[in-house]
Amino acid sequence: MSVHEHSHERDELTRNQGLVLDTLDDAKGPLSAYSILDRLRGEGFRAPLQVYRALDKLMEFGLVHRLESLNAFVACRQDECGAHGTIAFAICEKCGMVAEFTNDEVAHLLEDWARSEKFELAKTTIELRGLCEACTA
Amino acid sequence: MSVHEHSHERDELTRNQGLVLDTLDDAKGPLSAYSILDRLRGEGFRAPLQVYRALDKLMEFGLVHRLESLNAFVACRQDECGAHGTIAFAICEKCGMVAEFTNDEVAHLLEDWARSEKFELAKTTIELRGLCEACTA
DNA sequence: TGCCATACGTTATAGCATAACACAATTGAT
DNA sequence: ATCAATTGTGTTATGCTATAACGTATGGCA
Ligand SMILES: [Zn+2]
Ligand SMILES: [Zn+2]
Ligand SMILES: [Zn+2]
Ligand SMILES: [Zn+2]
């Protein structure tokens, strides 16, 4: 169990949601929906939809994030994640490590751009690809 | 033909690359690889790889960008796109419009973060989802 | 001419995501 | 307690996205 000071506590989740979240919590890096499925076959999972439906809810609750550039998912590793509208990820292309961080200044600059263009901003995706410190050495 | 003050001129491209770029230039919004394929069947395209290989080169030349959150591709609509390492996109979820823009301040803030974490940054993805001005009215 | 690098064509396969239907469990009135 | 509405579930089938692995063709250049 990792830090989840989110609105939804662990025991408000359904069985499937809990299993999927546990799987992501236990994983060192991001997992695809299908690899989550494979890890949960022992628990009775049979079909991708069981995973996708749980993931949809977990993302809605802010407990899980989707990495667009990877078609994969990670458990949220941050407190107060929801307090900042915009989250960013750094993804190591060698070892798969993912760092989640926020930068309010970046968020504000993008919000300013949106305001100036009258673009009604719903969601912001920021993903940095590269090599983590361990992998550059 | 749109503005392409890039290193690779239109006539340095191979036939397949040219056809794919023309298709993206003509499109109003982003296109998936498969919809590009469908539009080029009349030109003799038969297989996804013909499209993906052309797209890979066009992205390498900076003439085309991939929208990660859409699994789709757009022709670059900016001069001097390559001069700024980091490009951002705003994508209207209703009409599909895509605006490409740069913001050096945002780019620098993210580079600063990477430097402070000793993360060797290779590529930055910034995608804003929401509603364009026309679609909010 | 022979070599190398790049592009191309084709078939097959792998990986990601959702539609549609039926059924069960939960909630929250009346 | 009963009913209706909502939410979660299981299952099958399907569609969309991307690449592997093979062979061939072409063009520049020693
Ligand atoms: Zn988070
Ligand atoms: Zn690494
Ligand atoms: Zn561009
Ligand atoms: Zn719009």
Side-chain angles (χ1 to χ4, degrees):
Chain A
M1 277 305 329
S2 66
V3 258
H4 279 128
E5 204 66 35
H6 297 83
S7 51
H8 282 260
E9 291 306 325
R10 189 54 200 67
D11 56 355
E12 294 179 44
L13 302 178
T14 66
R15 169 176 154 83
N16 285 5
Q17 290 160 14
L19 287 168
V20 168
L21 181 57
D22 286 346
T23 304
L24 284 173
D25 268 334
D26 293 347
K28 282 190 280 292
L31 295 180
S32 75
Y34 276 75
S35 72
I36 295 171
L37 173 59
D38 286 338
R39 292 174 189 221
L40 288 176
R41 293 209 185 268
E43 302 288 347
F45 275 50
R46 311 286 310 274
L49 260 194
Q50 295 175 284
V51 176
Y52 281 110
R53 290 202 274 229
L55 286 171
D56 283 345
K57 280 298 176 188
L58 292 168
M59 287 190 287
E60 187 183 321
F61 300 155
L63 297 170
V64 163
H65 302 296
R66 176 184 167 81
L67 300 174
E68 299 289 353
S69 65
L70 238 44
N71 292 332
F73 304 84
V74 285
C76 177
R77 302 290 187 191
Q78 254 192 262
D79 277 0
E80 295 294 336
C81 181
H84 314 257
T86 300
I87 318 145
F89 300 92
I91 303 164
C92 176
E93 312 210 88
K94 189 166 174 195
C95 72
M97 174 233 62
V98 173
E100 177 178 347
F101 66 100
T102 56
N103 185 313
D104 290 345
E105 211 173 338
V106 168
H108 288 140
L109 285 167
L110 294 174
E111 283 156 19
D112 288 346
W113 180 90
R115 198 165 14 252
S116 76
E117 298 288 320
K118 298 198 180 1
F119 183 86
E120 190 175 310
L121 188 50
K123 180 170 189 284
T124 301
T125 297
I126 302 177
E127 296 180 15
L128 278 45
R129 306 290 296 264
L131 294 176
C132 74
E133 180 172 9
C135 288
T136 43
Chain B
M1 278 305 334
S2 65
V3 259
H4 279 129
E5 205 66 36
H6 297 84
S7 51
H8 283 259
E9 291 306 325
R10 190 52 201 69
D11 54 358
E12 296 179 43
L13 301 177
T14 67
R15 169 175 155 83
N16 284 5
Q17 289 161 14
L19 287 168
V20 168
L21 182 55
D22 286 346
T23 304
L24 284 173
D25 269 332
D26 294 347
K28 282 190 281 292
L31 295 179
S32 74
Y34 277 75
S35 74
I36 294 171
L37 173 58
D38 285 339
R39 293 175 189 219
L40 288 175
R41 293 210 184 266
E43 302 288 346
F45 275 49
R46 312 286 308 277
L49 261 195
Q50 296 176 284
V51 176
Y52 281 110
R53 290 203 273 230
L55 286 171
D56 284 344
K57 281 297 175 189
L58 292 168
M59 286 191 288
E60 187 183 320
F61 300 155
L63 296 170
V64 163
H65 302 296
R66 176 184 168 81
L67 300 175
E68 300 288 354
S69 65
L70 239 44
N71 293 331
F73 304 84
V74 284
C76 177
R77 302 289 186 191
Q78 254 192 257
D79 278 0
E80 297 292 338
C81 180
H84 313 259
T86 301
I87 317 145
F89 301 92
I91 303 164
C92 177
E93 311 210 88
K94 188 166 174 193
C95 71
M97 173 232 62
V98 173
E100 178 178 345
F101 66 100
T102 58
N103 185 313
D104 291 344
E105 210 172 340
V106 168
H108 288 141
L109 286 166
L110 293 174
E111 284 155 19
D112 288 346
W113 179 91
R115 197 166 13 252
S116 76
E117 298 287 321
K118 300 200 181 355
F119 184 85
E120 189 175 311
L121 188 51
K123 181 170 189 285
T124 300
T125 298
I126 301 176
E127 297 181 14
L128 278 45
R129 308 288 297 263
L131 293 176
C132 75
E133 181 171 9
C135 288
T136 44

